[in-house]
């Protein structure tokens, strides 16, 4: 430092104050939050002009997701109606089909026009294989309603973060190329707060009751 | 302007472009899991990756807080960190008694992830972390190291400012064992997961009557301590002896 010219020291001070280097990657490349793992750029991302989200809202996460239609969105874009969220993957042979059957049964127990007042969100745990096309195939195969069901894929790190938030633990299976994971349903209110979380997906009576109540509230 | 940015990078990280000296290359290798599968040791092959040589320091985290106010103690959302987050810090300033070069602790999983994101890195997976920790230099007396680490685990830590055991792995990664606990990206995969599927059914061996029934003979008990500790965590938790380091693909 003793050898440093005055102007160099001044520039360093300015840069340090600006904090520009704080997100500098070690390789010298700027590394914006999520930039690396976001599946694609986000030209259509909407700024949310609604009131601030509650502190406990899952929609606080800043990650970006791609739907099976190729739309990019933030979780906050799901705001506005209660939703049931679960994490799955397309190649899942055992627990996911049972979970989907339970969700479709729930859907059948909702009143006519439910999709305007409630939604189901399926987030893949396997974004490497479940690209938008695979998710679209999944939607077709299960005949999932366009407006009521959202199928999303994020980057691997963002997927892990959401899984942490909803209490899903998962790892690639060692032998068969599948995933080991637990099955969780989460009921979110219209602002993304977790109202109910359940491990295991076979019993949905209480969940559907809570969803109906929430639909009524959201409609008031 | 390019010169300014170059200078900025140098001030921030002291790194040269490309693979930084602060990260070690961990070549592809095998990790021995601490429990038996069908009566035999279970090994997992871990692809080559880079791992920070040192845990993230208090000074590094303070720099991060300057440009990420959402992670300052007064601003962080309870969703992402419990009330003990960065206890004793005043916004971006660590407690006066803290050694800036000591590992930062009292950070949640979410904040650790955000820091690594910011640096263009990620948290290491548990397999990666354990793979690196098991890679002791050739000629190491494993039982002696295990005894020292276990002894460290058996005493309450006096805080991260206390120097660790000074252990360095075969690739130059320091203080993975015997200084602080560290977050991994998937620390929760060894916990019991309920009835509708299990991230790791073998994890039952770690609990209650399971004890060490399926333990790999000869594997140091400290590995079990780490597994038990990880299963006790939630991602928003903060602990005075829990910090992190970052990893990167090659």
């Amino acid at each position: 430092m003793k050898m440093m010219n005055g102007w160099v020291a001044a520039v360093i001070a300015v840069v340090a104050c600006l904090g520009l280097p704080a997100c500098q990657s070690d390789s010298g490349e700027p590394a914006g939050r999520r930039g690396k793992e976001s599946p694609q750029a986000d030209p259509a991302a909407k700024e949310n002009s609604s009131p601030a989200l509650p502190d406990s809202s899952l929609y606080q996460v800043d990650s970006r997701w791609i739907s099976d239609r190729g739309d990019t969105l933030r979780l906050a874009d799901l705001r506005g109606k209660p939703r049931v969220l679960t994490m799955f993957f397309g190649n899942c042979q055992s627990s996911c089909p049972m979970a989907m059957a339970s969700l479709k049964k729930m859907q059948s127990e909702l009143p006519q026009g439910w999709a305007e007042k409630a939604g189901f969100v399926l987030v893949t745990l396997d974004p490497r294989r479940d690209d938008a096309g695979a998710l679209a195939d999944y939607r077709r195969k299960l005949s999932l309603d366009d407006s009521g069901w959202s199928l999303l894929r994020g980057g691997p790190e963002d997927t892990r973060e959401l899984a942490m938030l909803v209490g899903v633990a998962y790892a690639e299976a060692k032998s068969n190329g599948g995933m080991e994971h637990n099955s969780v349903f989460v009921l979110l209110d219209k602002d993304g707060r977790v109202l109910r979380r359940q491990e295991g997906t076979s019993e949905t009576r209480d969940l559907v009751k809570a969803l109906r109540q929430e639909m009524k509230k959201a409609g008031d | 302007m390019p010169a300014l940015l170059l200078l900025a990078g140098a001030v921030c990280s002291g790194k040269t472009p490309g693979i930084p000296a602060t990260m070690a290359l961990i070549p592809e290798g095998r990790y021995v899991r601490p429990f038996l599968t069908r009566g035999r040791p279970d090994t997992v092959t871990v692809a080559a990756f880079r791992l920070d040589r040192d845990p993230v320091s208090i000074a590094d985290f303070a720099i991060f807080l300057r440009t990420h106010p959402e992670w300052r103690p007064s601003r962080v959302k309870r969703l992402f960190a419990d009330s003990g987050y960065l206890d004793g810090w005043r916004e971006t300033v660590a407690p006066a008694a803290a050694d800036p070069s000591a590992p930062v602790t009292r950070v949640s999983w979410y904040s650790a992830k955000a820091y690594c994101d910011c640096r263009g890195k990620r948290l290491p997976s548990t397999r990666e972390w354990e793979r690196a920790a098991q890679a002791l230099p050739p000629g190491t007396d494993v039982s002696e190291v295990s005894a020292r680490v276990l002894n460290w685990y058996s005493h309450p830590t006096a805080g991260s400012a206390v120097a660790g055991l000074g252990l360095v792995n075969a690739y130059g990664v320091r203080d993975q064992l015997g200084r602080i606990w560290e977050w991994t990206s998937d620390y929760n995969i060894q916990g019991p997961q309920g009835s509708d599927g299990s991230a790791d059914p073998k994890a039952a061996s770690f609990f209650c009557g399971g004890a060490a029934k399926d333990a790999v003979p000869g594997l140091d008990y400290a590995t079990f301590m780490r597994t038990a500790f990880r299963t006790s965590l939630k991602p928003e938790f903060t602990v005075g002896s829990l910090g992190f380091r970052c990893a990167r693909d090659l």
Side-chain angles (χ1 to χ4, degrees):
Chain A
M1 188 61 95
K2 283 179 189 170
M3 303 287 289
M4 197 176 284
N5 292 333
W7 72 268
V8 173
V11 170
I12 290 174
V14 167
V15 169
C17 287
L18 288 173
L20 290 177
C23 250
Q24 195 82 6
S25 75
D26 281 350
S27 61
E29 297 164 2
R33 174 163 161 73
R34 322 286 189 205
K36 196 175 171 192
E37 77 249 15
S38 290
Q40 68 180 48
D42 179 20
K46 294 172 282 185
E47 286 303 319
N48 199 325
S49 56
S50 307
L53 288 163
D55 271 10
S56 58
S57 170
L58 280 196
Y59 298 163
Q60 298 278 354
V61 296
D62 192 31
S63 45
R64 295 175 188 193
W65 303 79
I66 295 188
S67 75
D68 59 313
R69 300 186 195 96
D71 301 327
T72 303
L73 66 153
R74 290 186 172 89
L75 292 187
D77 294 327
L78 299 174
R79 196 174 186 184
K81 57 186 184 183
R83 296 176 192 266
V84 175
L85 181 148
T86 194
M87 300 186 83
F88 80 112
F89 65 103
N91 196 34
C92 176
Q93 303 297 320
S94 52
S95 61
C96 310
M98 289 191 283
M100 295 310 147
S102 291
L103 289 178
K104 290 205 74 177
K105 180 168 176 290
M106 278 185 70
Q107 177 199 308
S108 71
E109 293 166 5
L110 297 177
Q112 193 90 23
W114 65 272
E116 285 177 21
K117 294 179 179 172
F120 295 91
V121 184
L122 311 181
V123 182
T124 179
L125 291 168
D126 189 6
R128 192 162 49 89
R129 282 181 283 199
D130 286 341
D131 59 15
L135 292 180
D137 287 345
Y138 199 76
R139 178 189 289 278
R140 272 192 295 276
K141 198 171 88 181
L142 271 70
S143 306
L144 303 177
D145 176 272
D146 265 353
S147 55
W149 293 74
S150 306
L151 278 67
L152 303 179
R153 164 184 178 260
E157 303 301 316
D158 294 330
T159 301
R160 179 71 67 184
E161 183 177 57
L162 182 61
M164 287 286 177
L165 284 163
V166 297
V168 168
Y170 66 101
E172 275 191 35
K174 191 180 167 191
S175 51
N176 61 5
M179 312 275 283
E180 296 171 338
H181 68 106
N182 57 334
S183 293
V184 171
F185 285 159
V186 173
L187 174 61
L188 303 170
D189 75 3
K190 66 183 177 57
D191 290 321
R193 281 177 287 223
V194 176
L195 297 176
R196 194 178 187 89
R197 175 187 176 279
Q198 71 172 54
E199 290 261 0
T201 53
S202 53
E203 176 53 63
T204 57
R205 240 178 325 186
D206 290 344
L207 194 64
V208 82
K209 188 176 162 191
L211 175 58
R212 280 178 163 166
Q213 283 173 352
E214 209 50 35
M215 288 166 72
K216 276 186 192 160
K217 265 196 235 169
D220 288 344
Chain B
M1 194 59 181
L4 186 70
L5 288 176
L6 188 63
L7 192 56
V11 170
C12 171
S13 58
K15 316 296 189 312
T16 51
I19 300 302
T22 54
M23 298 193 88
L25 168 64
I26 312 297
E28 181 179 291
R30 293 198 308 171
Y31 152 53
V32 184
R33 304 177 89 183
F35 38 72
L36 300 171
T37 301
R38 295 186 195 91
R40 305 170 112 183
D42 189 11
T43 59
V44 178
T45 299
V46 179
F49 67 105
R50 300 263 171 192
L51 185 64
D52 282 350
R53 291 184 189 276
D54 296 291
V56 172
S57 70
I58 287 172
D60 285 340
F61 205 78
I63 292 171
F64 166 70
L65 293 174
R66 277 184 221 150
T67 47
H68 290 74
E70 71 274 22
W71 290 106
R72 293 176 189 171
S74 65
R75 300 270 295 272
V76 71
K77 300 280 194 296
R78 276 294 156 265
L79 188 67
F80 299 128
D82 67 21
S83 59
Y85 176 72
L86 293 179
D87 189 33
W89 287 60
R90 282 180 297 104
E91 295 302 79
T92 64
V93 181
D99 172 3
S101 67
V104 67
T105 57
R106 289 211 174 278
V107 285
S108 64
W109 181 92
Y110 299 108
S111 61
K113 176 192 176 293
Y115 176 94
C116 293
D117 274 356
C118 161
R119 300 299 299 263
K121 301 180 189 176
R122 57 178 172 76
L123 285 170
S125 68
T126 304
R127 289 171 182 176
E128 288 173 334
W129 196 98
E130 292 289 341
R131 147 74 180 125
Q134 286 184 11
L136 296 170
T140 300
D141 181 342
V142 177
S143 58
E144 189 267 338
V145 168
S146 296
R148 287 172 65 198
V149 172
L150 195 56
N151 183 54
W152 180 81
Y153 283 160
S154 69
H155 293 89
T157 56
S160 65
V162 175
L165 299 179
L167 295 173
V168 183
N169 84 349
Y171 309 107
V173 177
R174 292 179 280 264
D175 287 333
Q176 264 190 289
L177 305 172
R179 190 164 193 191
I180 55 168
W181 306 91
E182 296 183 14
W183 284 110
T184 57
S185 62
D186 55 354
Y187 74 89
N188 61 346
I189 59 169
Q190 288 173 323
Q193 300 303 327
S195 59
D196 201 42
S198 170
D200 192 343
K202 292 179 285 297
S205 303
F206 289 103
F207 298 95
C208 302
K213 177 171 70 72
D214 293 327
V216 173
L219 196 70
D220 68 285
Y221 190 73
T223 306
F224 290 91
M225 297 279 289
R226 284 195 295 281
T227 302
F229 180 68
R230 287 180 187 130
T231 57
S232 73
L233 296 173
K234 289 189 174 180
E236 67 273 20
F237 279 11
T238 64
V239 180
S241 54
L242 176 59
F244 70 102
R245 71 182 73 215
C246 305
R248 205 169 91 178
D249 294 342
L250 289 185

